[in-house]
Amino acid sequence: MTTTSAVPSAVPAGQAPAEAIALPSATAYAEAVGQAVRAAAAYYDNGSSALDDDAYDRLVRAIAAYEAAHPGENLPDSPSGKVAGGAVEGDVPHTVPMLSLDNAFSDEEFTAWAASLERRIARPVASWNVQPKLDGLAIAARYRQGRLTQLVTRGDGTAGEDVSHAIGTIEGLPAELTEPATVEVRGEVLMTTAQFEYANEVRTQHGGDPFANPRNAAAGTLRAKDRAYTVPMTFFGYGLLPLPGTGDGLAAELADSAHGALMDRAVRYGVNTPASTQVPGTVVSTVDEVLARVREIGALRAQLPFGIDGIVIKADLAADQQAAGEGSRAPRWALAFKLPAVEKITKLIDVEWNVGRTGIIAPRAVLEPVDIDGSTVTYATLHNPADITRRGLRLGDHVMVYKAGDIIPRVEAPVAHLRTGEEREIAFPAACPQCGSGIDTGEQRWRCERGRNCHLVASVAYAAGRDQLDIEGLGHSRVVQLVEAGLVSALPDLFDRLTRDDLLGLERMGETSTDNLLAALDAAKRQPLSRVLCALGIRGTGRSMSRRIARHFATMELIRAADAEAMQQVEGIGGEKAPVIVAELAELGDQIDRLAAAGLSMTEPGATPPAPATEPDATDASEKSQPSAASGPLAGMKVVVTGAMTGPLEKLSRNEMNELVERAGGKASGSVSKNTSLVVAGEGAGSKRTKAETLGIRLVAPDEFAALVGEFIR
Ligand code: IVH
């Protein structure tokens, strides 16, 4: 349930955003208006509404539906038709009203709105400007002769509050423009995910309650004066207009400029806009193109380092905007296409402590199930004990949970003002929850003192997995059997201790399955070093890091000889990770010796060892290794594989595809960025393909890729 027992609720649980709630009576209508007024007041005052955005939107729509069905019964407090739900005012008048936006929740609603706009102006809209709807607070920044002199909040749209004290704390809003212009820049102030984490850390260190989410944090921070600490925020411009004193020439130019041209000018002035992000504003000409761009931005949402709650679509040309005009609450030439809510409030019921295969003890939040963006969320990641302390979480807290796309849900923060006093401290384990041994709390991530021996089943099953030694017939339940029978107490036992008779003595193991498993164990000896390394489950390394290490050093001997400095020559290994890897390798020394003696491969085919460092500056970060197969058809290329593979590549797992990329001289990567050279997109490729298209990165189908790297396919 998203609304909470602390709130008298007119909003039923679990409603899809587009579903209106029907208010059955005048009493229910009055209660809903009261609830909306309280929520809006708290939201705009200090960002502490008890309703999440989705619940508030549904409430406001129910109120509007009731009013449409009962003309003449409107209560004066009703949020309908008011900027900020009528919740706020201020004492600095805006030269031009700062309006809100009408919303659409579906393609149909947008299409109908576009058609009505075109009827109103009696011609097709010449072009549309499509940009992200940033989830922060509207602000007007007044520049006089190029100097930032005043910051004003939106307030009730007619007048806002002076928050000039925040000048200097907002990135993207320079103290001085590149030109001595007198203009007002309008836009959104928000906190990026990183700024939010930092803000809550600093705030709780100073004894304050954490903010529930980045938007609340920005709202609270913007209005706070005289704090002992400052926390940065970020500005994104979406409007540029004249002020008294602008000068006729520039004023006329601004008034006649298309929205896209205004945004370009803002960038020239040195102001941050969405142009600096993965989701820049774009200009398109048809409604279908608008909807395609809406989908593209929606697909990128989960990866953005800041929150967006929709997409804003504007008629781009000044002439079209002027012909459409403005209502009292919103312009008629712009609309917000709302995206589904990705943040909900729910309750933290428990914290579980799970021990992973390397002995890491990881906390996980158990939540009252909540529907977010089309799926039910019951668990969320909490990273490590320090993370719990930093967020100031308590059991029984209402928490803001974030989930978008296929990312793992995370708890953002407690909703501190909903605390009842019944919340309890979260108990950290005193002993390993898996085996009862002591816990090494020396690092941020706690670890069982027995390390990978603690959870032997998990570490052996991992080593046998498809992307490691790929031992067919050695699934989880078979590993449990072997460990429980005392036949395996470390990975090498599989190769140098386990006998045919041992296996035949197990339940459900006939001659055939025994011989098959022995053959699979034998085949595992031919796996390349990268996979042996991965099978060892070294902390801080996974499949791709193991490949990079193996390709860099070429032999296990050289890997083991490397000190932390040499380890840092491998791309992606920094000063923190290198000593952990070196220590892990030392800890695993006996096991590695046994695996080598049992005949497992300790070399990486195709890799050449690094030349010994002779120059004193050979440790320069710019000298970090590239895979040594720098020849090959993909030499120097960064390649991302996405979607289902077909043709000759059909049987390859994602890991095997990445191995193939690297054998052919390329570098495999999991995410598309402007540095990506090539994206192999199979059927069902989603947001990565979209992003590649947006960034203009070369896309190839699986068959085309297979032809390119043919000789490297095994
Ligand atoms: S244009 C007259 N563009 O959304 C047009 N607004 O729900 C006014 N917002 O009040 C706004 N991103 O605070 C515009 N790219 C964007 C926006 C944006 C976020 C906010 C803005 C506005 C609110 C309406």
Side-chain angles (χ1 to χ4, degrees), residues 99-101 103 131-139 154 187-188 237-238 259 274 309 312 314 326 331 333-334 336 338:
L99 298 180
S100 192
L101 289 169
N103 294 327
Q131 48 190 253
K133 183 171 184 318
L134 305 143
D135 194 8
L137 299 98
I139 202 163
R154 184 174 65 172
E188 206 80 351
Y238 55 63
H259 189 70
D309 59 346
V312 182
K314 302 169 186 173
E326 260 114 41
W333 45 266
K338 296 281 272 199

Side-chain angles (χ1 to χ4, degrees), residues 281-628:
T282 51
V283 178
V284 299
S285 38
T286 68
V287 164
D288 282 347
E289 285 167 341
V290 169
L291 292 174
R293 181 64 186 152
V294 164
R295 265 183 288 283
E296 280 173 8
I297 296 180
L300 293 170
R301 180 191 202 182
Q303 303 164 31
L304 298 175
F306 49 83
I308 65 171
D309 59 346
I311 289 104
V312 182
I313 300 130
K314 302 169 186 173
D316 194 48
L317 293 192
D320 284 349
Q321 295 178 3
Q322 283 152 14
E326 260 114 41
S328 63
R329 196 192 87 92
R332 297 203 185 86
W333 45 266
L335 190 74
F337 193 118
K338 296 281 272 199
L339 290 172
V342 284
E343 265 180 344
K344 289 274 179 82
I345 298 173
T346 188
K347 215 165 169 175
L348 175 63
I349 303 172
D350 199 4
V351 173
E352 286 179 357
W353 300 84
N354 298 312
V355 184
R357 61 188 158 75
T358 61
I360 295 284
I361 303 169
R364 177 166 86 151
V366 184
L367 305 168
E368 207 161 86
V370 59
D371 196 37
I372 310 184
D373 198 11
S375 62
T376 304
V377 174
T378 318
Y379 299 103
T381 162
L382 283 171
H383 309 292
N384 55 54
D387 188 49
I388 295 177
T389 311
R390 198 166 46 235
R391 282 164 210 267
L393 287 170
R394 299 185 200 151
L395 287 185
D397 257 335
H398 286 95
V399 289
M400 193 65 87
V401 178
Y402 180 95
K403 147 119 187 16
D406 48 12
I407 68 158
I408 300 169
R410 64 169 187 261
V411 171
E412 298 205 275
V415 187
H417 67 277
L418 289 181
R419 281 188 172 149
T420 60
E422 303 279 293
E423 297 76 18
R424 284 163 295 125
E425 289 291 310
I426 295 170
F428 291 178
C432 171
Q434 173 80 15
C435 72
S437 305
I439 299 177
D440 176 357
T441 60
E443 308 271 332
Q444 281 230 331
R445 304 177 76 190
W446 289 8
R447 192 178 187 217
C448 172
E449 278 175 359
R450 295 181 61 216
R452 56 179 47 74
N453 292 329
C454 169
H455 207 343
L456 193 61
V457 169
S459 62
V460 173
Y462 175 78
R466 179 168 183 198
D467 293 336
Q468 287 69 245
L469 296 176
D470 194 16
I471 307 171
E472 215 169 303
L474 194 55
H476 189 267
S477 54
R478 187 70 73 212
V479 176
V480 171
Q481 256 186 319
L482 291 170
V483 169
E484 285 182 352
L487 295 171
V488 171
S489 55
L491 177 62
D493 289 341
L494 287 174
F495 300 98
D496 64 10
R497 207 182 121 192
L498 199 61
T499 65
R500 189 163 190 274
D501 286 345
D502 287 341
L503 289 173
L504 283 171
L506 294 175
E507 251 177 63
R508 304 185 314 277
M509 265 318 252
E511 298 249 344
T512 316
S513 21
T514 296
D515 288 333
N516 286 346
L517 180 51
L518 287 170
L521 284 165
D522 202 50
K525 295 179 183 168
R526 290 184 291 281
Q527 294 290 1
L529 173 62
S530 52
R531 284 175 168 241
V532 176
L533 200 59
C534 191
L536 288 167
I538 292 164
R539 270 192 296 154
T541 72
R543 291 165 302 203
S544 70
M545 184 61 80
S546 300
R547 280 200 302 277
R548 253 178 274 158
I549 297 172
R551 295 202 78 81
H552 177 87
F553 291 104
T555 71
M556 182 63 100
E557 206 185 334
L558 287 170
I559 294 176
R560 291 173 75 180
D563 59 10
E565 198 178 308
M567 197 54 80
Q568 279 184 67
Q569 295 304 302
V570 179
E571 202 200 337
I573 299 184
E576 228 170 280
K577 209 171 241 191
V580 177
I581 297 176
V582 171
E584 288 269 292
L585 282 160
E587 187 181 306
L588 287 160
D590 289 346
Q591 292 203 25
I592 297 172
D593 287 342
R594 282 176 63 193
L595 291 173
L600 275 88
S601 165
M602 295 288 150
T603 55
E604 187 67 4
T608 40
T614 44
E615 297 293 318
D617 63 355
T619 54
D620 187 339
S622 62
E623 308 253 317
K624 288 218 164 196
S625 82
Q626 292 300 316
S628 41

Side-chain angles (χ1 to χ4, degrees), residues 143-163:
Y143 283 91
R144 294 184 201 285
Q145 261 98 54
R147 283 187 172 277
L148 180 54
T149 53
Q150 195 175 28
L151 286 184
V152 188
T153 65
R154 184 174 65 172
D156 66 358
T158 325
E161 196 183 332
D162 189 305
V163 288

